[in-house]
Amino acid sequence: MLDLDFGCTRCGRCCTGLRLPLTLGEALGWLGDGHEVELLCEALPWPAEPARDDEPAAHRRRRSFAAHSGRLPLRVIVVLAAAFSGRCPNLGADDRCAVYARRPLVCRIYPAEIHPFLTLVPAHKGCPPQAWDPGQPALLRAGRIVEAETHAAIEASREADRREAGLKQRLCAELGVDCAAIGGEGFVAHRPPRPALRTALQAALQSAAPTAARTATQAALQPAGEADTAAAGASDWRLVSRSRRTLDELGAAGARIGPADALANGAYLDLGAVDAEPGGDPERSGGVAADLRAAAAAPAPPR
């Protein structure tokens, strides 16, 4: 099992040219600071509920909401992302963070992985080699995070993903966002006007307040699909791809489709073009065809 030590060298490489995943509250703060926020949308064909012991599928389900495209059942993952080119607007000339005390969870977690099925590989990170020298503070022992703040931030991020999935569905409906890429291929990045996004975020956060006491245990005991069955009928998404084969299979499954390079609203991002891979799910890559073949024979979702 993997043991790793890590010490930040303050090189600033992890603060350059990224799309940083944000919670709803963090996105509201980012907008308040005068910066841009995007909604990165990907859709997963979901013809049937997977086996209960399929942990990767359970992870995808927790961070998504039910929808459909035509008669193709979906789970849609939406990631709010801080968008900037070049250096982070909060990175000072001395390569120190100007908002360090309230920096996003993803910044507190780096270079660890948020995704529970990804292994931390130092060579895949932007940190200089000396950051990983033995004798630096312990980060992993036997493959597990042992640094307390990082561990707490990962748990908080995963809980926010679960808690906010339904709120993101409301956010998309309020903003008219209904176009997504196929998981494993890319994302559709939507950038609503800041005033409209700020208003929609405030409304979503206020609507969450009465149910804030709902526990993860209660959510786990809920029968699959119970919370979002009604919403799924009203959430009809258009799916885009750069793959002719994917579009053909989506069309055969009854989905609303279109080419990725002819978007009226939003921009298509190939998976490899999203530096921080904020919503990517590596297990999905290459698995679309089987899901679509299963969906092609499935009945239409209830309306």
Side-chain angles (χ1 to χ4, degrees), residues 204-230:
L205 289 167
Q206 289 170 1
S207 73
T211 58
R214 189 168 185 268
T215 67
T217 300
Q218 288 171 321
L221 292 173
Q222 175 182 288
E226 180 180 290
D228 45 22
T229 298

Side-chain angles (χ1 to χ4, degrees), residues 11-303:
C11 67
R13 295 179 190 174
C14 62
C15 308
T16 303
L18 301 176
R19 286 179 169 86
L20 299 177
L22 303 171
T23 67
L24 268 67
E26 290 170 349
L28 195 57
W30 192 267
L31 288 171
D33 289 339
H35 310 316
E36 298 291 339
V37 173
E38 293 178 334
L39 282 71
L40 306 183
C41 302
E42 61 171 331
L44 313 174
W46 207 265
E49 287 298 327
R52 288 187 176 275
D53 61 354
D54 187 338
E55 293 184 5
H59 170 69
R60 293 191 289 271
R61 194 185 196 286
R62 282 191 294 270
R63 60 193 302 259
S64 64
F65 56 82
H68 65 90
S69 177
R71 67 180 182 89
L72 174 65
L74 304 172
R75 301 294 300 189
V76 175
I77 297 175
V78 176
V79 176
L80 291 164
F84 54 88
S85 58
R87 292 165 63 88
C88 173
N90 294 318
L91 190 64
D94 58 356
D95 286 335
R96 291 178 179 269
C97 179
V99 295
Y100 187 80
R102 57 182 179 91
R103 68 198 186 282
L105 285 171
V106 69
C107 301
R108 299 170 188 270
I109 291 167
Y110 194 87
E113 299 289 358
I114 299 174
H115 196 297
F117 303 105
L118 284 182
T119 300
L120 173 56
V121 179
H124 295 171
K125 303 295 178 177
C127 310
Q130 60 268 30
W132 307 96
D133 283 348
Q136 297 279 18
L139 180 61
L140 267 68
R141 289 295 179 266
R144 294 182 177 274
I145 297 290
V146 295
E147 203 284 315
E149 183 179 353
T150 302
H151 182 271
I154 290 172
E155 292 303 309
S157 177
R158 292 175 182 170
E159 170 59 17
D161 249 3
R162 183 202 66 77
R163 185 180 65 250
E164 295 181 350
L167 300 180
K168 291 173 181 176
Q169 185 177 27
R170 298 182 192 182
L171 192 67
C172 289
E174 178 71 22
L175 295 167
V177 170
D178 62 358
C179 182
I182 289 292
E185 291 188 359
F187 305 89
V188 174
H190 300 270
R191 188 177 291 190
R194 280 186 297 192
L197 181 53
R198 183 182 300 110
T199 298
L201 282 168
Q202 289 170 337
L205 289 167
Q206 289 170 1
S207 73
T211 58
R214 189 168 185 268
T215 67
T217 300
Q218 288 171 321
L221 292 173
Q222 175 182 288
E226 180 180 290
D228 45 22
T229 298
S235 186
D236 190 8
W237 284 66
R238 181 170 177 264
L239 306 179
V240 300
S241 174
R242 283 185 174 151
S243 164
R244 184 68 257 171
R245 179 180 177 183
T246 297
L247 288 174
D248 289 344
E249 290 170 340
L250 288 167
R256 295 173 55 220
I257 60 172
D261 296 322
L263 293 175
N265 296 298
Y268 186 85
L269 304 175
D270 284 313
L271 190 59
V274 183
D275 301 278
E277 199 178 320
D281 200 344
E283 298 101 4
R284 295 299 306 166
S285 183
V288 174
D291 287 343
L292 291 175
R293 285 194 294 271
R303 298 297 179 102

